Amino acid sequence: RIRMKKRNIFTISVLLITIMVHAQQPSTEAKTLLDKTYASFQASKGIRLTFRAATLDSDDSELTAMEGTAFIKADKFRLETDQMDVWFDGSTQWVFMKEVNEVNISSPTRDEITAVSPLALLGIYRNGYILTAPVNKHINNKQVKSISMVPTIGNMEYKEVVAVIDQKSHTLVQVTLTMRNGTKQRIDISDYNANHNFSDGEFRFDKNGYPNVEIIDLR
């Protein structure tokens, strides 16, 4: 169960920055919209948002769900949920699993970082996905544009990634990943605020704040 929770957290971090991608052979309108969204992201020194991430069955019924808060600065992020907290400072990752009062420290490899780093995600979509033309929709009480990203090869982990962007603010509202087995991961984003100025220290685990936690260094 702990492993599944960790995978859900990693998936969340992937979803949060899907707005940053540049795909092969994109729809011009889709690329322009993503570029504006990415420019807004780049201009901020810190983003805080709340999210609800759910694993869906093939019929879109929820299997599991998780709510939390994310703090983002360039390639650094911190995630806070009831089950666990994650810090990533661009090179080192700390995962605090509350149920067992344990922190795992790791320095992910290039392949491993794909699951947690926005920068690694850039390489995946830049080389392996096609953007389709945006579709106007109404989601979470907002007028949005939905952009589908389809892999150019058939052995990718995801069959489709759908990014939903607010037409007025150019912020990410929702992302859905469809797995090869038909199940889906969906995240809904709310309370998006890009007016923060985070210090780098906020993306590192401070053991002084967790005096009784067991620390396992996997580096």
Side-chain angles (χ1 to χ4, degrees), residues 184-198:
K184 298 179 181 179
Q185 301 274 346
R186 185 185 67 206
I187 181 169
D188 290 283
I189 295 173
S190 58
D191 300 325
Y192 183 101
N193 189 319
N195 297 317
H196 294 272
N197 191 353
F198 299 133

Side-chain angles (χ1 to χ4, degrees), residues 155-198:
N155 61 351
M156 303 291 282
E157 183 175 3
Y158 308 118
K159 292 195 303 183
E160 182 185 36
V161 178
V162 178
V164 177
I165 298 173
D166 188 310
Q167 294 187 34
K168 293 183 178 179
S169 65
H170 295 109
T171 57
L172 193 64
V173 173
Q174 184 187 86
V175 180
T176 303
L177 295 174
T178 301
M179 319 297 281
R180 281 174 26 184
N181 64 5
T183 60
K184 298 179 181 179
Q185 301 274 346
R186 185 185 67 206
I187 181 169
D188 290 283
I189 295 173
S190 58
D191 300 325
Y192 183 101
N193 189 319
N195 297 317
H196 294 272
N197 191 353
F198 299 133

Side-chain angles (χ1 to χ4, degrees), residues 15 29 47 63 80 85 116 126 143 145 168:
L15 293 173
E29 184 182 358
I47 296 171
L63 300 176
E80 297 180 351
D85 297 339
V116 295
R126 185 172 54 225
Q143 292 294 330
K145 286 185 179 292
K168 293 183 178 179

Side-chain angles (χ1 to χ4, degrees), residues 21-23 114-115 119-129 156 158:
V21 304
H22 293 277
T114 298
L119 291 184
L121 187 63
L122 280 172
I124 292 177
Y125 292 101
R126 185 172 54 225
N127 296 319
Y129 282 73
M156 303 291 282
Y158 308 118

Side-chain angles (χ1 to χ4, degrees), residues 45-72:
K45 294 183 178 180
I47 296 171
R48 181 188 184 278
L49 56 85
T50 58
F51 62 84
R52 185 178 191 278
T55 300
L56 310 179
D57 206 343
S58 56
D59 62 356
D60 286 349
S61 59
E62 288 192 5
L63 300 176
T64 60
M66 178 185 296
E67 296 182 357
T69 305
F71 308 85
I72 306 166

Side-chain angles (χ1 to χ4, degrees), residues 77-90:
F77 59 82
R78 187 172 90 247
L79 303 176
E80 297 180 351
T81 74
D82 290 339
Q83 292 82 13
M84 64 176 64
D85 297 339
V86 179
W87 297 258
F88 184 71
D89 68 358

